[in-house]
Amino acid sequence: MNTTLRDQERRTGWWLLTPALLLLLLVYAYPIARSFGLSLVTQNLGTELQPVFAGLDNYSRMALDGRFWQTIGNTVFFTVVSVILELLLGLGIALVLNQAFPSRGAVRTIALLPWALPTALIATTWTWIFNDQFGVWNDILLRLGLIQTGVNWLGDPNWAMWTVIAADVWKTTPFIAILLLAGLQSIPPDLYEAHALDGATRWQSFYRITLPLLLPQILIAGLFRFAQAFGVFDLVQVMTGGGPGGATETVSLYIYATIMRYLDFGYGAALVVVTFVILSLAVALATWGLARLRAVRAIGEPR
Amino acid sequence: MTLVQKDAPLDVVPPRRWGLAVAVGLLLIFSLAPILWQVLTSLKTNADIAAVPNVYFPRQLTLEHYIELFRRRPFLRYMLNSAFVASVSTLLCLLIGTPAAYALARLRLPGERFILAGVLIVTLFPYILLFLGLLELVRTFGLANTYLALIVPYTAMNLPLTILVMRSFFQQLPRDLEDSAKIDGYNTGQMLWQILLPLTLPALVTTGILAFIAAWNEFIFALTFITRESMKTVPVAVAQLSGTAVFEIPYGALAAATVVGTLPLVILVLLFQRRIVQGLTAGAVKG
Amino acid sequence: MAKLELRNLNKTYTPRVVPLKELSLNVENGEFLTLLGPSGCGKSTTLRLIAGLEQPTRGEVRIGDRNVTHQPPGQRNIAMVFQSYALYPHMTVYENIASGLKLRRMASAEIQQRIGEVSQFLGLGELMQRKPGQLSGGQRQRVALARALVRRPDVFLLDEPLSNLDALLREQVRAELKQIFAAQPTPVVYVTHDQTEAMTLSTRVAVLNDGFLQQLDSPKRIYVRPANRFVASFIGSPQMNLLHLKCEGGFAQLGRCKLPLPSQVTVPPEVIFGIRPEHVRLVRPEDQQVLQGRVVLVENLGMSDLLTVQVEGTQGTLLRALLPPDQSWSGKQISLALPPEALHWFDVQTGDRLPDALP
Ligand SMILES: Nc1ncnc2c1ncn2[C@@H]1O[C@H](COP(=O)(O)OP(=O)(O)O)[C@@H](O)[C@H]1O
Ligand SMILES: [Mg+2]
């Protein structure tokens, strides 16, 4: 059997697959690989933008770069807080949307809306809402008597990060809500009925049935959002540009500034590499956890 | 809450329904209020916009900000740029991604699991990690300020989702249909085109919408690879609207730009909510 | 039409999944061969190997004098009816039936003529412009059949074509199938796990189990002379009684009854004895060997009662008998006879039928 049908089928398969693979390699694999290479040279205004081999200099510079550590801290804070808030709120919204009420379809559509809108435009919307002089948020709080004078939400280093997080939560919670809603809908109603016959309260059902069965979706959504939040760019860039005084500067903003403003390509590449590695480790850890969870589930299933 | 219907016999409604009504009301406010506020701002006169305290019910509405957008700024041009880049990259993405999805769903290739895992992992990496390498490529090939500089990365960034969603749709199709086609004498190309394509049309629409939305919204590549005014896409143009005029930020125009720039997507969501949800869950749950 | 020949066909998916082992068989012109076996025994795999939807790990598929083993399905000139019917949902009935012919660049006049004939034959005239979604199960089934017939292939393949129909319709279509395929000379390979279909439709039946061919014979001989213990237990409903008996001096001992072993064999120490419940009868005056027993269970099947009898003089050996429902059997002591011509004997180790004198 030299050229069997199976071989032909395989050949066809590779033909179908190759364009997509090439494009993915070009746009995803090459830039990352290239960054690894670039991170070993110094290429900036000091070298007149010519690459000069520098070994691991960029990395040792990074270790002492306070601004880098600050941005890492900001990124982690932003990521952790926004993902947790989004998961909680998303779960709440999913639970609401899973109830039966009139014109539920329309409400679901409206709830999906924020997810679809361009982040950069939404960022301007929130900038306007949180404007210190004319912003509606200050106006509402003043009218309710919760504050006496307008707060400079985006200009105050204590508040800026929280403001950005609020905008991010608004924009991406619908995505999580949708995934969790799909998960909720896949839980067979018999389970709740059986549990209710056993005398369980709603709260017990939620705790004993809904949460455990939803856990895989929660983790998947969380993982997905974690990776995206870690690379947040549009929102912060447009809302604060990293300010005030670096209070909201995330790693991605620092990378962008290093490359586009300071034209420090070698160091920018090193920043890319380190971010990539951190993210990869986190994702690997999460995937491993997910796989473990699934394995445990699979064993527990027949009971 | 405005949502509770006035004619409902309120004293009969059990507390749980009340709780639900309040929750739905809050959800609607949460989702809509920022958008509506922006719409309102875009229709207010400059005096009302800058009024303290805020004006919630303006006496006078105006279209001047919209007119400014199209008269004094090339906003139509931005819209067309976005539409062109997003449409072309979406079509390309379907054209390249669908055959790949079919191969991964059906043809049992060696190493298929690795490819699939790779495709999944790739969806997790933010574009900030890619733009340096791509910037070099764009410069090397002289692509700065061309549509191609955006179309290629947009096509690629939507490929993973396309492959995952389409693959899950292909897997749901009954295998017998393809076997029957093979026996009838269709070759792989004919089968894809004449049998599978008509059946996957709904899936293609779904995937296409997701890809279009993502391409329309993309920011960092558009910001970096395009500097010429006439080539800019909507997100970058709007973001820079606020950045350029340092002394007087044109809030009205900004609001109008936001409204116009999001309108195509709002329409897509209103028309295709169900499909979008399907696509998102098919793409993510398979992971 | 042409003869179909399978030579030493093997299929291995993974070292542990080997659905087909050394299958060789011929299907001549005009033959209706049924592959019969329990679910998972490799029937569909065999059919897919013939169709070219799978490649054999070893062995050959020949149609007429062509070796088609490495030809793609479209070039083998076979037609197949699937359990799910596999009608193209976006095409009309007419387009569905015509698709295979169009791909072979047949002139449209001839296509029309052929489809006209087939649709008249199957009574599809009214449905030609409908989509499969607008058809009932029975109609879809007939369209699938028409799509195969219109091709005039060298071999027909049918994979459980009746199992998606409800019981009533199934019987009716079964009869139709018999007529349709009896009226034409092309060889047919039919897959089913339903022995009634196999018995009623086939000229020959191939019983498969676990990837091995167990017996290839006419339906009648499969029933009367099952080649081994598996075929004996698989064919016939209710199932054949199969009992482990001790032998002594040319006889096997069942309770107080001495059953004569077939004369040819050197007497083994133990043997598997079989008799179908429908062949067990009440004792008559002329019977010499009588089996006594007590009825422990009665199942009413309508036209007869299925009794489970505990045989006297054994440690709880049970025998099932199909008797006329003309009296109340429950709990009674009864005397049964086992007609010598209805006895089957199988080797304890191999399960093979012991050679006997019957033709
Ligand atoms: N594509 C495949 N890959 C792996 N194993 C398969 C495949 N197709 C069938 N099998 C296995 O081969 C065996 C025979 O299957 P099949 O021929 O479909 O049985 P049946 O007699 O019920 O039609 C089964 O154990 C089945 O699980
Ligand atoms: Mg089968």
Side-chain angles (χ1 to χ4, degrees), chain A residues 129-263:
Chain A
I129 289 172
F130 285 118
N131 186 292
D132 53 338
Q133 278 179 285
F134 314 120
V136 66
W137 186 240
N138 270 338
D139 191 71
I140 292 174
L141 294 185
L142 283 168
R143 278 173 204 255
L144 293 177
L146 293 176
I147 52 174
Q148 303 314 318
T149 54
V151 177
N152 189 357
W153 299 104
L154 288 165
D156 182 337
N158 295 324
W159 282 115
M161 184 58 99
W162 287 102
T163 313
V164 174
I165 287 175
D168 192 66
V169 167
W170 182 80
K171 159 86 181 135
T172 46
T173 299
F175 172 77
I176 290 184
I178 285 168
L179 292 193
L180 297 189
L181 179 60
L184 282 178
Q185 287 170 334
S186 69
I187 300 177
D190 320 5
L191 288 185
Y192 293 105
E193 284 161 16
H195 207 222
L197 286 179
D198 287 347
T201 64
R202 281 182 173 277
W203 173 244
Q204 285 171 328
S205 299
F206 174 76
Y207 204 73
R208 293 265 176 75
I209 297 179
T210 311
L211 268 191
L213 289 182
L214 212 53
L215 201 56
Q217 269 93 350
I218 293 177
L219 290 180
I220 288 172
L223 175 64
F224 212 78
R225 279 298 310 146
F226 167 81
Q228 286 180 341
F230 205 85
V232 64
F233 181 77
D234 319 14
L235 195 70
V236 189
Q237 175 77 3
V238 175
M239 283 183 82
T240 65
T248 58
E249 187 169 57
T250 59
V251 172
S252 54
L253 260 73
Y254 187 38
I255 293 176
Y256 191 81
T258 305
I259 292 166
M260 296 305 288
R261 193 158 348 129
Y262 313 134
L263 301 181

Side-chain angles (χ1 to χ4, degrees), chain A residues 65-140:
Chain A
D65 182 356
R67 184 168 168 190
F68 167 70
W69 292 108
Q70 159 95 35
T71 60
I72 285 283
N74 286 343
T75 309
V76 169
F77 181 79
F78 173 87
T79 305
V80 170
V81 174
S82 63
V83 171
I84 288 177
L85 288 178
E86 285 159 20
L87 281 174
L88 290 176
L89 196 56
L91 181 59
I93 293 180
L95 287 171
V96 169
L97 290 179
N98 198 33
Q99 306 292 319
F101 55 85
S103 55
R104 179 171 65 170
V107 176
R108 281 186 185 168
T109 307
I110 289 170
L112 177 61
L113 217 45
W115 165 83
L117 307 184
T119 312
L121 303 197
I122 289 314
T124 68
T125 302
W126 284 101
T127 311
W128 175 229
I129 289 172
F130 285 118
N131 186 292
D132 53 338
Q133 278 179 285
F134 314 120
V136 66
W137 186 240
N138 270 338
D139 191 71
I140 292 174

Side-chain angles (χ1 to χ4, degrees), chain A residues 6 13 20 28 31 34 99-100 109 116 118 121 124-125 128 131 134 136 139 143 170 182 227 234 252 256 279, chain B residues 16-17 30-31 38 41 50 53-54 56 96 108 124 126 128 136 157 217 219 223-224 238 251 258 265 269 273 281:
Chain A
R6 186 77 190 89
Y28 283 93
R34 174 73 187 143
Q99 306 292 319
T109 307
L121 303 197
T124 68
T125 302
W128 175 229
N131 186 292
F134 314 120
V136 66
D139 191 71
R143 278 173 204 255
W170 182 80
D234 319 14
S252 54
Y256 191 81
L279 198 53
Chain B
R16 244 186 71 71
R17 305 300 302 171
F30 174 80
S31 307
Q38 197 73 328
T41 304
N54 283 185
Y56 290 89
I96 296 175
R108 291 175 291 162
L124 294 175
I128 187 74
E136 276 196 340
M157 78 184 187
N217 294 354
F219 185 69
L223 179 70
T224 315
V238 173
Y251 290 114
T258 310
L265 304 186
V269 171
Q273 182 262 139
T281 43

